[in-house]
Every structure is written in C-alpha cells, then in structure tokens.
C-alpha cells in the first residue's frame, strides 16, 4: 500500500500515521479495559493527551511491531485489550480499522480525533482515508493541514506528495517527495516515490542529475519509473 506503509513507522506515530465495526462499547477511559469494535460508531470518548507512560510505550511499540509485519488483525485485537487513555491509542485504533477494511469507522474515528484534538497525526490519518476512498481533493486538504501543523514529518510529506501525483501536480509532488526523502533518512521506498515524481515532471533526462544529487541507486530509479505508471491515465 502506498500510504501508511510507504515509510517505516516512528515509534509513537499513528501515521502515522497514522485505516469500522462501531465503537459503542468503547466506554469512557476510566471505566474500561477492553474495547469492542463491533458496535455502531457514535460519539467516541476521544482523549487528546499524548502523555504516554513507559508501560504504555512498551504496549504501543508491540502493536507497532505487529503493524510493521502486516499482522493488523492481531494488532487490533491486542490494542483493544488496553485502556484508550491517550490520543496515541485512538490514532492507532482508527488506522487499524482502515487496515482491516473498516473504512467508514476509520473515517468516523479520524474525523472525531480531528474535531477534538486537531493534531497533525489526526489530519494525516484522515487524509489517507479520504485518498483510499478516492476523495482526492478532501485528502489533499487534510494532508495540507497535517503538513502545516508538522512540516518536518516525513510520512506526511510523503503521502502529500503521492496525493499530488494523483492530481497531476508532478512538480509540486517532486518538491514534497524530495523533502520527505531527506527527512526520512533517505529511505529507499520514499526514494522510489521521489523518482516517480521527478520522472513524471521532467522525463528520463532528469534522472541522472537526480541520482547525482540524492544518491539513489539504479534499482530505486527503476522502481520509481515503474511506480510512476500508476499516476498516468490510461496506463
């Protein structure tokens, strides 16, 4: 998947980010240890605090590890054994609902986190969900808000750049994706997206210069050219 999986997750991002059988059984934090995602969505008891204790960090890191391994159903089950006492719990829950194809509940959760907390991670996740449902302009708007709130986030800049490619704004996408590439520590999967944007904007002749300036290898260039075909109508 070219959004959340495009960049290795930081330890405590949802993007994170940054994804829904409902959540009526998600009782207020002080009253619950177990959460049921099988109820209809409603007014979720969103918590905006990011004060994660060392014990919670261990729990969330274990869930992140499962997500990195694409064991999303197991990650969701493990998350729902916890008390949702921080925004990080809610962001992961919303993201995981999208990953297990519960898109409506994921969208509802992210919208409520945005409304309650207004965080970059929430806007990022909401933007990705909009993109998954082909609401590209809404996705762009949400990702632009995420970028404004956290301009140094590699995942946000990466997903914003990919969304721009979907609208044919290849030059702007190249800028965003080169920024994401450098912010990410030059991860190859981000480099692939960057190469795709440069190729779509400037053609094959721009690639040698891009390689000299960024150090991407031939394999990343080939992968980027191949990836670019997804963004050309009729290909």
């Amino acid at each position: 998947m070219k959004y959340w999986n495009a960049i290795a997750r930081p330890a405590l991002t949802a993007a994170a980010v940054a994804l829904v059988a409902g959540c009526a059984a998600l009782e207020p934090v002080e009253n619950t240890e177990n959460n049921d995602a099988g109820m209809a969505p409603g007014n979720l008891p969103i918590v905006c605090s990011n004060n994660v204790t060392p014990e919670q960090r261990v729990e969330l890191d274990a869930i992140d590890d499962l997500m990195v391994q694409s064991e999303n159903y197991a990650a969701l089950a493990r998350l729902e054994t916890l008390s949702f006492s921080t925004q990080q719990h809610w962001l992961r829950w919303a993201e995981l609902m999208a990953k297990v194809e519960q898109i409506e509940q994921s969208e509802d959760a992210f919208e409520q986190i945005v409304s309650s907390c207004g965080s970059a991670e929430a806007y990022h996740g909401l933007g990705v969900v909009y993109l998954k449902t082909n609401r590209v302009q809404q996705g762009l708007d949400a990702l632009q808000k995420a970028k404004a709130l956290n301009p140094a986030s590699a995942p946000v800049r990466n997903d914003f750049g990919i969304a721009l490619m979907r609208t044919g704004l290849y030059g702007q996408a190249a800028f965003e994706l080169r920024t994401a590439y450098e912010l990410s520590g030059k991860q190859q999967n981000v480099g692939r997206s960057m190469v795709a944007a440069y190729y779509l904007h400037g053609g094959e002749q721009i690639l040698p210069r891009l390689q000299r300036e960024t150090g991407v290898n031939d394999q990343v260039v080939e992968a980027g050219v191949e990836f670019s075909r997804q963004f050309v109508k009729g290909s």
Side-chain angles (χ1 to χ4, degrees):
M1 173 180 170
K2 56 180 175 291
Y3 298 112
W4 278 305
N5 293 337
I7 299 183
R9 296 172 53 87
L12 281 175
T13 62
V17 217
L19 162 151
V20 175
C23 195
L26 286 175
E27 300 293 339
V29 168
E30 61 270 22
N31 294 329
T32 184
E33 290 296 326
N34 295 285
N35 301 295
D36 181 3
M39 305 297 289
N43 293 322
L44 304 177
I46 303 297
V47 178
C48 293
S49 171
N50 285 311
N51 295 326
V52 177
T53 67
E55 293 78 10
Q56 290 171 328
R57 184 180 296 271
V58 170
E59 294 167 346
L60 292 172
D61 284 351
I63 290 163
D64 289 344
D65 288 343
L66 290 171
M67 294 170 75
V68 168
Q69 298 167 38
S70 297
E71 296 180 8
N72 297 312
Y73 291 84
L76 179 61
R78 184 160 180 169
L79 179 63
E80 289 176 343
T81 68
L82 307 178
S83 175
F84 282 33
S85 56
T86 75
Q87 185 181 173
Q88 297 303 321
H89 291 81
W90 284 105
L91 288 165
R92 281 167 176 75
W93 186 79
E95 179 179 346
L96 279 164
M97 295 311 283
K99 287 181 177 292
V100 299
E101 303 304 324
Q102 303 299 314
I103 302 298
E104 290 184 6
Q105 282 192 313
S106 176
E107 179 184 330
D108 179 72
F110 274 123
E111 286 177 341
Q112 291 191 54
I113 301 169
V114 163
S115 178
S116 297
C117 310
S119 66
E121 290 171 303
Y123 276 111
H124 181 201
L126 183 60
V128 170
V129 170
Y130 284 152
L131 292 172
K132 284 173 66 74
T133 54
N134 293 317
R135 285 174 288 172
V136 178
Q137 187 57 54
Q138 287 177 276
L140 278 170
D141 292 344
L143 289 168
Q144 193 157 29
K145 289 176 182 176
K147 172 189 163 181
L149 290 166
N150 188 5
S153 168
V156 168
R157 302 293 285 254
N158 180 80
D159 289 344
F160 186 42
I162 291 174
L164 288 166
M165 282 199 287
R166 288 183 63 176
T167 65
L169 297 173
Y170 304 132
Q172 189 178 347
F175 174 83
E176 296 295 336
L177 289 162
R178 185 155 179 176
T179 304
Y181 179 65
E182 294 182 4
L183 287 171
S184 73
K186 299 188 174 182
Q187 292 183 15
Q188 289 193 356
N189 50 0
V190 186
R192 179 197 67 167
S193 300
M194 176 186 67
V195 168
Y198 271 86
Y199 178 72
L200 290 167
H201 181 57
E204 192 168 335
Q205 62 271 21
I206 204 170
L207 298 181
R209 191 188 80 188
L210 181 65
Q211 283 191 275
R212 288 195 303 271
E213 292 177 353
T214 64
V216 291
N217 60 37
D218 291 342
Q219 290 74 24
V220 172
V221 170
E222 291 173 6
V225 172
E226 178 65 26
F227 185 53
S228 74
R229 295 177 181 147
Q230 297 185 28
F231 305 95
V232 178
K233 291 181 180 179
S235 62

